[in-house]
Amino acid sequence: MLARLRLLFDNFTLILIAVVALATFLPAHGQGAVFFDWLTNAAIALLFFMHGAKLSREAIIAGATHWRLHLVVFSCTFVLFPLIGWAAQPVLVPFLGLQLAAGILYLCVLPGTVQSAIAFTSIAKGNVPAAICSSSASSIIAIVLTPLLLKLLLETDVEIDMTDTVVKISLQILLPFVVGHLMRPLIGHWVTRNQRWLKNIDQGSILLVVYTAFSASVVGGLWAEIHPLSLLALTFVCLLLLFVILYATRWIAKRLHFDLPDEITIVFCASKKSLATGVPMAQVLFAGSIIGPMLLPLLIFHQVQLMACAVMANQYALKHQQQTAATA
């Protein structure tokens, strides 16, 4: 029993819970919010710089050409997820109300996360090159595909500034990765030698994203607008949705006979939804009065997916360790 509790409430999960509580009671606002925005962006840039520096050219090419894995991730992200959200609408509308049910559908058509998906894949000893290629491509494809899916399923006219979104993604993710990879001949050996403590950059970037995003929603009056019973119902729906998609992605990966590192990549890249992409998209797609209800499912799903994936990443890492020991 103690071992099970320890596995569920590992140190990283406890820190995540503490960060959510901190953002609720002491959210960053004003100049503090501006500082944390810059700090989060810098941490994400450093994360991708380090990944670029430690990945060989051969590993990147292998990740980019792993078409079967990418096809599964894209299918789960932009086909399976939206179909689940659309099929559940007749049940969700009377259970949550029209706006929150629409928010669930908006959540389902978003791309997967980038930084946290890669970080969890790295922690779990998955296929990091494939995760970088798959999650980055997902964010870029979503610039066009998310509004189209939303228009199809929600029957609403949407427009989006594609140039601005592409520029932001390129500056925050692709540019640091390319610079880090170009500097690999100079710092690659140092990064390899210090991988043990450099993993803190992975986890630190996740904690910063959680605190900054949750602070912004708390300052915006999140808890003043939502009835506690509606919040409980929405949390239950998000947990159920996460369970379904985690089970489905793991089952699909096993049925298609992917090895363990690829299974880890599929699970973490195909089951997650991006808060960093969803918030700016919502500001473009929806009128001001509806943005809050449309974003609340994403905010809750984002928190529970991070906590669930923290536990799963440690389980996968332990499984990888056991397989390596058995092979040795």
Side-chain angles (χ1 to χ4, degrees):
M1 178 63 70
L2 289 176
R4 289 177 179 269
L5 289 173
R6 179 59 183 168
L7 185 60
L8 180 61
F9 297 104
D10 64 300
N11 291 336
F12 188 49
T13 305
L14 292 175
I15 295 173
L16 276 174
I17 296 172
V19 167
V20 172
L22 180 64
T24 299
F25 295 106
L26 292 174
H29 56 86
Q31 291 300 315
V34 175
F35 168 76
F36 274 100
D37 281 337
W38 280 96
L39 185 62
T40 300
N41 290 334
I44 293 170
L46 182 59
L47 167 68
F48 284 97
F49 176 84
M50 290 299 180
H51 277 300
K54 69 183 180 182
L55 290 177
S56 67
R57 187 71 51 84
E58 293 76 13
I60 295 174
I61 294 174
T65 56
H66 201 342
W67 66 268
R68 288 181 68 245
L69 183 146
H70 300 317
L71 182 61
V72 171
V73 171
F74 294 157
S75 298
C76 291
T77 302
F78 296 116
V79 178
L80 178 61
F81 232 129
L83 284 177
I84 292 173
W86 175 76
Q89 288 297 298
V91 177
L92 294 179
V93 170
F95 187 59
L96 297 177
L98 186 60
Q99 289 187 336
L100 289 179
I104 290 290
L105 189 57
Y106 175 61
L107 157 71
C108 290
V109 300
L110 285 171
T113 61
V114 179
Q115 61 269 19
S116 60
I118 295 170
F120 282 129
T121 300
S122 176
I123 294 169
K125 310 301 181 185
N127 189 338
V128 174
I132 291 175
C133 296
S134 190
S135 57
S136 300
S138 173
S139 294
I140 295 173
I141 292 171
I143 298 169
V144 176
L145 200 52
T146 290
L148 289 177
L149 288 171
L150 195 63
K151 181 178 180 179
L152 176 65
L153 301 178
L154 200 58
E155 298 182 357
T156 182
D157 294 326
V158 294
E159 295 180 0
I160 189 167
D161 187 346
M162 296 173 58
T163 302
D164 183 60
T165 306
V166 170
V167 168
K168 287 180 179 178
I169 291 173
S170 299
L171 290 177
Q172 188 179 23
I173 297 168
L174 297 180
L175 181 60
F177 177 82
V178 171
V179 171
H181 185 65
L182 292 176
M183 293 188 65
R184 174 177 166 78
L186 299 176
I187 64 174
H189 293 298
W190 179 85
V191 171
T192 301
R193 288 197 306 269
N194 293 276
Q195 282 189 10
R196 182 180 296 273
W197 67 267
L198 285 175
K199 71 177 183 179
N200 294 328
I201 295 175
D202 290 0
Q203 297 181 349
S205 67
I206 295 172
L207 297 176
L208 281 171
V209 170
V210 170
Y211 178 74
T212 304
F214 210 80
S215 292
S217 55
V218 170
V219 170
L222 176 67
W223 304 128
E225 298 177 0
I226 301 299
H227 192 278
L229 290 179
S230 298
L231 185 63
L232 286 174
L234 182 59
T235 302
F236 171 77
V237 171
C238 289
L239 286 169
L240 181 61
L241 178 61
L242 179 64
F243 172 80
V244 169
I245 200 66
L246 284 173
Y247 179 85
T249 51
R250 195 169 185 175
W251 181 84
I252 290 171
K254 290 183 179 296
R255 290 287 293 179
L256 295 178
H257 305 292
F258 285 97
D259 60 17
L260 182 61
D262 287 346
E263 176 190 324
I264 291 168
T265 303
I266 290 170
V267 169
F268 287 130
C269 290
S271 66
K272 300 168 72 59
K273 291 296 180 177
S274 175
L275 187 69
T277 302
V279 171
M281 273 193 176
Q283 293 172 342
V284 175
L285 299 177
F286 308 115
S289 60
I290 200 176
I291 289 179
M294 294 298 289
L295 280 181
L296 186 59
L298 175 60
L299 293 173
I300 295 177
F301 187 85
H302 186 77
Q303 307 307 318
V304 298
Q305 75 181 4
L306 288 176
M307 294 178 183
C309 288
V311 176
M312 291 185 66
N314 283 288
Q315 290 178 329
Y316 270 124
L318 180 61
K319 186 175 181 180
H320 178 273
Q321 204 173 40
Q322 291 171 343
Q323 285 189 357
T324 303
T327 302

